[in-house]
Each structure stands twice: as structure tokens, then as C-alpha cells.
Amino acid sequence: MTAPLEFYFDFTSPYGYFGAEQIETLVARNGRTVNWHPVLLGVIFKATGQIPLLSVPLKGEYSGRDLQRISRLTGIPFKLPTPFPVSTAAAARAFLFAGEADAAMAKQLGLALYRAFFVNGRNIGDTEVVLDVCAEQGLDRAEAAIAIESQAIKDQLRAGIVQAQGLGVFGSPYVIVDGEPFWGWDRFPMIETWLQRGGF
Amino acid sequence: MTAPLEFYFDFTSPYGYFGAEQIETLVARNGRTVNWHPVLLGVIFKATGQIPLLSVPLKGEYSGRDLQRISRLTGIPFKLPTPFPVSTAAAARAFLFAGEADAAMAKQLGLALYRAFFVNGRNIGDTEVVLDVCAEQGLDRAEAAIAIESQAIKDQLRAGIVQAQGLGVFGSPYVIVDGEPFWGWDRFPMIETWLQRGGF
């Protein structure tokens, strides 16, 4: 029971951001590790017929309030950026590029991208902004620029999304623990109980 | 800050059922009380363009699994009934009828209706089953039968739903605590923190 957890997220998902800020400490204090997998909710929602959360009447307004409240409760800074949501293909591909060399660097870049968007309001839907963040994290900007336009990385992202859909991933964050799926930041306490008890 | 909490639910909502099983003890141990308000998600979803949770591809299958898991975690018995979902107009009207005499009796009937459906698989979409449950809880079956077909109770339910929509209610369970809205059974721990701290 020491296989890594699998953490699926979209860079434009606010609850995915809160999840990304907490997943590593959650798994570490339970003696586990976690793999990060960027997905594109735009692709996934097309398959399931869902629409972006904040576009749903009433539910969208509620979620805006819920996100501010989670920020106050957890102490994780959060400000809904404009524009929102954005296309996160470039961010996801940059993550995969960083992960080719080093999974830890990819996670560091992933958090930096999330914070650029949800703390500093930088538009990570813009490829130039994504490349700026790559450079700030010590990656080679020119190499990153070539990589995220490469067919190999595009194919890798596409294949990753298809695989995620095959595993039932329909939202962000989505965590698989020893085959058991958990959707949503609000399932993190349940994930922890699951890890502590070895299931229930 | 001692006003009652407001608890909105639909009798065909499984997460509403788990909420109904826990809301009274949650508020009582924090020195508060709660008013129960039945709504019809069918009416509300029409306004917000949502579809029933278990009809969403992938999400529906996940939720079936999530509900079983919550049952194991909480010890609250649960079995997804067939047919599901059902129309809950008769159940909601019976609840309002019971509440005319006594709010505590209405809650007792509400739990009995939820358990009839989600524990014993009885079809509470059938008015006769609703009346049976009324009688089992000590209500007059004939009076209940007349009441739930009365224009007064129909109007009361309709007005209650319009009022709920005006307050932003878009799902079940939905709890309003001193003006602060919380959607979903998974927000109950956050409601408790909110009550303990007087907000955050």
C-alpha cells in the first residue's frame, strides 16, 4: 500500500489550486508520495456535458464566495483572476516539459503557475506569461518555448487526458488513492482518514 | 447570533439525507437550532440549467461510490433506491402539513421519509407511500391525504421554493448560517468551525 497517490488538476481550477497547495503535506505526513497530472477540463467537460462551475447561475456566485472563505480558513492566499477561466494548454505542457527532467521541478513550476494566476492575477492563459514563470523557476525559457510547441509534448498531454478519462476523472482536483477516487478539495479530510485507516 | 440556522433539502437528495441525519446534533452541540425547509430540486434545476447529479456521465458513477463510502465512514445506513430520483412534491407537502401543528413532528416525519427511501427502498415518489409513512409517525392519514392535495399547502411549498431561490439556494443540502450560505454535506465540518468561531 505504498504506491504513489495520483493527483489530477487543471491550472484554471481554483479548487485544484487549493488542492495543489495542500496535497504534498497531506501525503507526506501519512508516509506517502503523489504524482501530479495536469488535465484540461475543457476537453473533459466536453465529454461529460458539464459547463464551467462559475458559469452556473447561483452556483457560480456561491463558489466565488466559497473560495474566499476557504482562503480565510486555510490561510492560502486567493484572488479570482481576470480573465477567468483561461485556456491552460500551455501551462499543462510546460509542466510536462519540466517533468521530463525532474518531477520535483515540475511540481515547483506547477505551484508557481498556480500562484501566478490565483495570487498575482497573471494571465497563465498567455503562453508568454507561462514562459516567464518557467524562467523565474530556473528553466531555460527558449527550451521551454520549443518544448511546449512540440508534437511530442502535445501528444503526451492528450494521452494523459485520455488516460485520466479512462480512470473516471471528470473534475479538478481529482485524487486516486490505491484505486479509490476522490473528487474535490473538500474530500481531502476523507483522503487523510482513508490513508490513516488503510481504507474504510 | 442565536438565530436558527436554515436547512434546505430535497427528499430525493442523498446528500440531503446524510445532512438531515447530522444537522440537529451539529447545531445542538453548538448551542443553536435549525429550521428545515423542503424544496424541489426539479424546479430549482430548471432555473439554473443543472441536471440531476447521478445523470452526469462519470460524475454520476463516482457519486454512487462516494455515497456508499460516506455511509461506511459515518455509520449512517444507505442504499440507492430504485426508482431514483423520484418526484418529492408529495413528501415535501406532507412535511409542511406536519409542520403546521409541530415543527418537531415535521422533522421526525422528514427523517422517517428519508429513511423509508434511502434505507428501506420505499418509493416516496408514490403519494400512498408518503401517507403510509405519515400514519406510521402518528399523523392522521386521511387528514394528511386531504392536506397534501390542498391549494394552501401547494402554495406554501411553491412560495417556500421561490423564497429559497431568492436566497441563492441551488442544491441540497444547503444551509444558511447567520446569512452565510453553505452548500453540500461536505461543508458540514466548515459549518461547525464557523459556529465555533462565530465566522472566519
Side-chain angles (χ1 to χ4, degrees), chain B residues 16-25 36 76 111 114-115 119:
Chain B
Y17 158 66
F18 287 119
E21 290 284 358
Q22 295 186 321
I23 191 79
E24 289 290 336
T25 51
W36 290 32
I76 298 169
L111 280 175
Y114 259 138
R115 291 171 187 167
V119 181

Side-chain angles (χ1 to χ4, degrees), chain B residues 71-164:
Chain B
S71 173
R72 295 195 304 273
L73 182 62
T74 60
I76 298 169
F78 174 82
K79 190 171 178 295
L80 198 66
T82 307
F84 176 87
V86 297
S87 163
T88 52
R93 290 188 214 143
F95 179 93
L96 295 178
F97 160 69
E100 284 179 351
D102 180 357
M105 170 51 94
K107 292 177 184 180
Q108 178 187 319
L109 175 67
L111 280 175
L113 286 164
Y114 259 138
R115 291 171 187 167
F117 191 43
F118 287 118
V119 181
N120 300 313
R122 296 165 71 186
N123 180 3
I124 62 167
D126 179 343
T127 301
E128 293 304 313
V129 173
V130 169
L131 294 173
D132 289 348
V133 176
C134 286
E136 289 157 19
Q137 297 305 314
L139 294 163
D140 187 294
R141 197 183 197 283
E143 269 183 45
I146 293 167
I148 68 179
E149 292 303 327
S150 72
Q151 197 58 45
I153 291 277
K154 287 180 185 177
D155 290 347
Q156 189 184 341
L157 178 58
R158 195 183 316 263
I161 294 170
V162 169
Q163 188 183 32

Side-chain angles (χ1 to χ4, degrees), chain A residues 15 47-48 50 56-59 62 65-66 69-70 72-73 165 168-170 174 179-183 185-187 190 193-194 197 200, chain B residues 15 47-48 50 56-59 62 65-66 69-70 72-73 165 168-170 174 179-183 185-187 190 193-194 197 200:
Chain A
Y15 294 102
T48 56
Q50 296 176 85
V56 181
L58 295 183
K59 199 171 179 174
Y62 169 83
R65 185 170 186 149
D66 188 49
R69 191 165 58 191
I70 291 171
R72 294 195 303 273
L73 182 62
Q165 288 175 300
V169 175
F170 60 83
Y174 195 97
E180 185 74 16
F182 295 88
W183 168 51
W185 171 82
D186 35 34
R187 283 290 175 279
M190 204 182 279
T193 303
W194 187 276
R197 300 186 189 175
F200 52 78
Chain B
Y15 295 103
T48 57
Q50 296 176 85
V56 181
L58 295 183
K59 200 171 180 174
Y62 168 83
R65 184 168 186 153
D66 187 51
R69 192 165 58 192
I70 291 171
R72 295 195 304 273
L73 182 62
Q165 287 175 302
V169 175
F170 60 83
Y174 195 97
E180 184 74 14
F182 294 88
W183 169 51
W185 170 84
D186 33 34
R187 284 292 175 279
M190 203 182 278
T193 303
W194 187 275
R197 301 187 189 174
F200 52 78

Side-chain angles (χ1 to χ4, degrees), chain A residues 94 97-98 101 105 109 131 133-144:
Chain A
F97 161 68
M105 169 50 94
L109 176 67
L131 294 173
V133 176
C134 286
E136 289 157 19
Q137 297 305 313
L139 293 163
D140 187 293
R141 196 183 199 282
E143 268 183 45

